[in-house]
Amino acid sequence: MNYSLSDFDFDLPDALIAQTALPDRTASRLLHVDGERLLDRQFPDILEQLQAGDVLVFNDTRVLKARFFGVKETGGKVQLLVERILSNTEENRCVLVQMRASKAPLVGSKIRLADAFDVTVGERVGEFFTLHFPEDIFTLLDTYGRLPLPPYIEHDADDFDEHRYQTVYSRVPGAVAAPTAGLHFDEALLQRCRDKGITLAYVTLHVGAGTFQPVRTENLSEHVMHSEWYTVPQETVDLIRAAKAAGRQVVAVGTTSMRALESASQSGSLQAGSDDTCLFITPGYVFKTVDRLITNFHLPKSTLMMLVSAFAGYERVKQAYAHAIAQQYRFFSYGDAMLLTNTSGKDHA
């Protein structure tokens, strides 16, 4: 079946969009999509669904304080969101940003950010601008930037968000959005996984702001996927190969872990390395590495809705979302989770 954009739309009551995180990371609900059954569980029940020797793959990216307010030399105000760091050497400290301004700044002009330091405007790259920073980018972001919450969260980030909008295992700064499936794990639950003999492995994919952008073309083949940088370490490849050889399962924690693994599997088998990925997964794609997926509930018409539909079956995902809405699950980044099984290449449900 050929799918169009409207096939991935659904009506969601605003009241189900989670505006704040639960104080207890593991207090979320878990919708377990088990064949034809839809089982309402609590997130710590995930342990019952995992066996010794299974591999949980986490994305260890860390969210940058990537949002800035600034003033151009002309006095005009700007809002910036750092999309990615292009270079951070003494010779070239350059970032790619989304910019909101009444009038685009000129190349070579200065922008004062956070009333603290000046950046120089570089060339445009499509819809983005490049900016040159005067000092170490990570230090300036951490000192003066603001945590960028998703656009559907209606409050500015506070101290609670700065803690809760990071996974407990985040360690490689570079994302502008959290890998939100991982927000459900705390240190105690991770230890319970280890105690059961479940292997914990890591990839890095720096989530870009494009993850929140809706697809705007009804014909999905016309959509240009945003690019994100990832790395899959050799250690993770070895752990996954050993699990596969032993008949155990590879469980991606979040769509970003999934995209990293599948991007590194395009040769037919998982390979270690780093690269940019523009992998756009829609129904009909056959997954090469991942057996199960832990994920949150996604935006209508989003590339992530298409990815989970490709993974678990379009009709099955549609039924799961209808059930989640009827049972008042909490949606999006601070919301509840679901557990899906790979049916790609096996059925068309």
Side-chain angles (χ1 to χ4, degrees):
M1 176 177 174
N2 291 324
Y3 292 94
S4 299
L5 177 61
S6 54
D7 292 318
F8 300 93
D9 197 10
F10 61 91
D11 293 324
L12 180 70
D14 288 344
L16 297 186
I17 301 174
Q19 292 295 323
T20 57
L22 299 175
D24 179 355
R25 289 179 182 268
T26 66
S28 311
R29 298 165 72 189
L30 176 71
L31 177 57
H32 180 192
V33 181
D34 183 20
E36 298 301 318
R37 299 188 302 165
L38 300 174
L39 305 174
D40 299 308
R41 303 183 185 277
Q42 293 300 121
F43 193 79
D45 296 339
I46 196 75
L47 272 172
E48 299 171 12
Q49 307 306 317
L50 301 172
Q51 304 299 321
D54 288 349
V55 180
L56 275 175
V57 183
F58 299 90
N59 179 8
D60 63 6
T61 188
R62 185 167 181 81
V63 183
L64 300 168
K65 293 182 180 179
R67 188 174 300 284
F68 281 92
F69 295 88
V71 181
K72 295 185 290 184
E73 290 173 313
T74 58
K77 296 181 178 180
V78 299
Q79 292 185 40
L80 305 177
L81 180 65
V82 175
E83 172 74 12
R84 69 162 67 186
I85 295 171
L86 299 176
S87 174
N88 193 26
T89 65
E90 286 191 23
E91 297 77 22
N92 184 25
R93 303 192 188 278
C94 185
V95 301
L96 194 68
V97 302
Q98 295 183 13
M99 185 182 304
R100 291 176 59 186
S102 58
K103 187 176 180 181
L106 299 175
V107 173
S109 64
K110 303 285 188 182
I111 298 175
R112 184 78 171 171
L113 295 184
D115 198 26
F117 64 96
D118 294 332
V119 294
T120 304
V121 178
E123 64 180 11
R124 290 193 70 159
V125 181
E127 62 186 300
F128 301 102
F129 289 82
T130 54
L131 296 179
H132 297 276
F133 276 52
E135 300 171 31
D136 179 72
I137 295 168
F138 290 112
T139 301
L140 291 173
L141 293 182
D142 196 53
T143 304
Y144 300 108
R146 301 186 185 187
L147 191 75
L149 290 177
Y152 45 76
I153 291 180
E154 297 172 351
H155 67 271
D156 292 332
D158 55 21
D159 291 344
F160 178 70
D161 293 302
E162 294 207 2
H163 165 66
R164 280 295 274 110
Y165 196 61
Q166 300 278 13
T167 62
V168 297
Y169 48 81
S170 65
R171 57 188 174 193
V172 185
V176 300
T180 54
L183 298 178
H184 303 289
F185 288 85
D186 61 10
E187 294 288 1
L189 184 56
L190 292 173
Q191 188 56 51
R192 289 176 67 192
C193 291
R194 295 187 192 97
D195 292 343
K196 190 171 179 176
I198 298 160
T199 300
L200 309 186
Y202 298 90
V203 297
T204 304
L205 184 141
H206 290 325
V207 191
T211 192
F212 301 118
Q213 297 300 315
V215 179
R216 294 185 172 88
T217 61
E218 184 66 19
N219 183 346
L220 301 185
S221 66
E222 296 174 0
H223 176 66
V224 179
M225 188 70 176
H226 60 282
S227 175
E228 294 170 315
W229 181 90
Y230 76 91
T231 187
V232 176
Q234 186 63 50
E235 178 184 9
T236 294
V237 173
D238 294 341
L239 291 170
I240 288 173
R241 286 177 179 167
K244 292 279 193 182
R248 305 317 312 164
Q249 296 201 320
V250 176
V251 184
V253 180
T255 56
T256 60
S257 299
M258 166 90 84
R259 288 189 71 230
L261 291 172
E262 291 298 317
S263 295
S265 302
Q266 292 305 292
S267 66
S269 63
L270 182 65
Q271 304 294 323
S274 301
D275 205 349
D276 277 338
T277 178
C278 298
L279 183 63
F280 181 27
I281 295 176
T282 57
Y285 178 91
V286 177
F287 289 80
K288 300 168 179 62
T289 295
V290 179
D291 300 302
R292 301 176 91 184
L293 171 67
I294 300 167
T295 186
N296 282 21
F297 295 93
H298 303 295
L299 292 163
K301 296 185 176 182
S302 64
T303 60
L304 302 181
M305 275 296 296
M306 298 166 198
L307 182 152
V308 296
S309 297
F311 187 74
Y314 174 81
E315 290 295 339
R316 189 169 289 121
V317 168
K318 189 175 179 180
Q319 292 163 6
Y321 270 63
H323 176 88
I325 292 169
Q327 296 299 316
Q328 297 191 312
Y329 276 68
R330 303 167 77 243
F331 272 65
F332 306 158
S333 294
Y334 275 156
D336 296 314
M338 59 196 311
L339 174 63
L340 302 172
T341 299
N342 180 16
T343 64
S344 68
K346 302 170 187 174
D347 70 19
H348 301 285

